């Protein structure tokens, strides 16, 4: 306990095949993996800062040798393992209730089979969340969800991502990736989803820049860094200052791509920021160190356990859609 305000850090352990799948590349079916390159690097940068993060794991990887190895290495280092769905389809919001239940169950079984406890936290791929999902998480004993990204740039990010997607794949949910402009209205503070039955699930949003509502997580910092390292660092410092000023808990999200270079992720030329692996890793180190100077940084599950949203700044009504 340091007396400093809390912040959180998490890792979405999305694998190479998942990016290719979302982009409509049939090569995803071969399940190419960059986990052997990414996991040691992520463990190193977190370990250097003595941080215990939350790692959101895809079930389809946890059943594989390299994925199970990653799960065990993160768990052995003291990081929480959470659920990031089984098949990592960002159109999870289109699933029926029964299919969602199966998706959660399969991912839980894969994670437990890899040798760690059943997860208590969930993040939907592509920031997907629906009423059915929240209700199922409550029924299955989850304590929190971390699927929302309160920003207005979803349609712009979708247009950038989909520019090279084969036409035949565009009607498979990709037209709804990352949500709409209305997400700018989503709360930036932790809150509770409330169901008709009166039950509640803690929601921990991925932090965006207070006031501007622009993303500050790893992938966006890396993009800015390619334009100007000075700009990226100034942008992140400004975001943290605004978080302090407005009482926002920074929740920083990282991905394996934040520490990898293009040659380690073949086929991902469409993805921004895939150059300069060592410079990217240095940026992540700097960002984590900068957060630690001003905040006590913990995993998402630890934050929920310690805070349990002491003050419910807001609640959200659940609709069937996104």
């Amino acid at each position: 306990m340091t007396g400093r305000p809390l912040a959180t850090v998490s890792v979405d352990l999305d694998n190479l095949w998942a990016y290719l799948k979302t982009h409509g590349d049939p090569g995803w079916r071969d399940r190419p993996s960059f986990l052997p390159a990414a996991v040691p690097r992520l463990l190193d940068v977190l370990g250097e800062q003595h941080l215990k993060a939350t790692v959101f794991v895809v079930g389809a990887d946890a059943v594989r040798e390299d994925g199970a190895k990653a799960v065990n290495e993160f768990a052995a280092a003291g990081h929480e393992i959470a659920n990031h769905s089984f098949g990592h389809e960002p159109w999870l919001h289109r699933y029926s209730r029964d299919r969602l239940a199966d998706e959660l169950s399969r991912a839980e079984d894969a994670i437990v089979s890899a040798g760690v406890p059943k997860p208590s936290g969930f993040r939907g791929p592509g920031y997907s969340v629906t009423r059915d999902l929240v209700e199922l998480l409550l029924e299955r004993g989850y304590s929190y969800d971390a699927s929302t990204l309160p920003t207005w740039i979803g349609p712009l990010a979708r247009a950038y991502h989909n520019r090279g997607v084969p036409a035949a794949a565009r009607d498979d949910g990709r037209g709804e990736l990352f949500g709409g402009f209305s997400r700018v209205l989503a709360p930036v503070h932790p809150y509770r989803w409330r169901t008709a039955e009166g039950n509640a699930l803690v929601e921990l949003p991925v932090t965006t820049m207070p006031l501007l509502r622009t993303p500050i997580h790893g992938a966006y910092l890396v993009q800015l860094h390619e334009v100007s390292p000075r700009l990226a660092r100034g942008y992140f410092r400004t975001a943290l200052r605004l978080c302090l000023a407005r009482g926002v808990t920074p929740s920083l999200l990282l991905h394996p791509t934040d520490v990898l270079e293009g040659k380690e992720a073949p086929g991902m030329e469409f993805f921004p920021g895939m150059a300069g692996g060592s410079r990217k890793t240095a940026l992540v180190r700097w960002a984590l160190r900068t957060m630690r100077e001003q905040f006590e940084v913990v995993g998402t599950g630890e934050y929920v356990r310690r805070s349990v949203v002491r003050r419910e700044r807001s609640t959200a009504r659940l609709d069937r859609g996104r």
Side-chain angles (χ1 to χ4, degrees):
M1 302 292 287
T2 65
R4 289 175 293 172
L6 290 177
T8 76
V9 63
S10 59
V11 177
D12 282 3
L13 204 63
D14 305 343
N15 207 347
L16 175 55
W17 64 265
Y19 286 96
L20 299 181
K21 182 180 184 180
T22 302
H23 199 63
D25 186 333
W28 78 266
R29 294 184 178 87
D30 296 329
R31 301 280 179 171
S33 174
F34 50 37
L35 295 185
V39 170
R41 224 164 287 171
L42 289 166
L43 285 167
D44 283 347
V45 296
L46 292 167
E48 287 168 6
Q49 298 301 317
H50 308 288
L51 296 177
K52 305 302 181 187
T54 296
V55 182
F56 290 88
V57 172
V58 177
D61 280 314
V63 297
R64 295 159 38 127
E65 183 177 352
D66 60 344
K69 182 173 184 287
V71 167
N72 280 276
E73 288 177 344
F74 277 114
H79 303 292
E80 175 192 11
I81 304 300
N83 188 339
H84 197 34
S85 80
F86 186 85
H88 197 277
E89 293 191 340
W91 40 93
L92 205 70
H93 55 281
R94 287 189 168 192
Y95 283 16
S96 68
R97 188 183 183 92
D98 286 346
R99 188 177 178 190
L100 273 173
D102 183 64
E103 185 78 4
L104 293 171
S105 176
R106 292 176 71 197
E108 291 163 7
D109 290 346
I111 289 168
V112 171
S113 294
V116 298
K118 179 185 172 183
S120 64
F122 179 82
R123 176 174 288 142
Y127 315 107
S128 300
V129 62
T130 63
R131 176 196 289 265
D132 282 340
L133 175 61
V134 171
E135 291 176 349
L136 285 166
L137 291 175
L138 282 166
E139 289 173 11
R140 303 183 74 82
Y142 283 73
S143 59
Y144 72 96
D145 177 71
S147 297
T148 57
L149 181 70
T151 185
W152 50 269
I153 72 161
L156 304 181
R158 178 167 62 247
Y160 184 93
H161 177 277
N162 287 348
R163 71 197 187 283
V165 173
R170 290 180 186 171
D171 62 350
D172 200 16
R174 293 171 180 83
E176 302 163 17
L177 284 176
F178 314 130
F181 289 115
S182 63
R183 288 201 173 186
V184 73
L185 302 175
V188 295
H189 298 279
Y191 57 96
R192 294 179 188 270
W193 291 113
R194 295 215 176 269
T195 66
E197 294 75 21
N199 299 318
L201 182 79
V202 173
E203 179 67 33
L204 185 59
V206 176
T207 303
T208 54
M209 175 85 77
L211 302 179
L212 295 179
R213 297 292 187 105
T214 50
I216 67 169
H217 61 271
Y220 287 87
L221 285 182
V222 165
Q223 264 190 289
L224 282 178
H225 194 265
E226 286 192 341
V227 176
S228 165
R230 185 175 180 180
L231 174 63
R233 288 181 168 85
Y235 178 81
F236 190 66
R237 287 194 189 99
T238 299
L240 294 184
R241 283 197 293 268
L242 284 172
C243 285
L244 283 169
R246 299 187 67 83
V248 174
T249 299
S251 186
L252 180 66
L253 168 60
L254 302 175
H255 290 87
T257 51
D258 298 335
V259 296
L260 295 174
E261 56 184 303
K263 67 181 181 181
E264 295 172 306
M268 282 190 61
E269 294 77 14
F270 64 89
F271 197 79
M274 290 310 297
S278 61
R279 293 194 299 274
K280 292 162 66 174
T281 303
L283 176 65
V284 171
R285 287 194 180 98
W286 172 86
L288 293 174
R289 184 170 64 251
T290 302
M291 282 185 70
R292 286 193 68 228
E293 290 170 355
Q294 302 174 64
F295 298 89
E296 182 183 358
V297 184
V298 299
T300 51
E302 178 65 14
Y303 172 82
V304 170
R305 281 189 292 273
R306 286 169 56 173
S307 299
V308 196
V309 193
R310 295 187 184 98
R311 290 185 300 160
E312 290 185 24
R313 294 178 179 270
S314 55
T315 59
R317 180 176 59 85
L318 283 167
D319 295 318
R320 287 287 169 190
R322 300 185 75 182

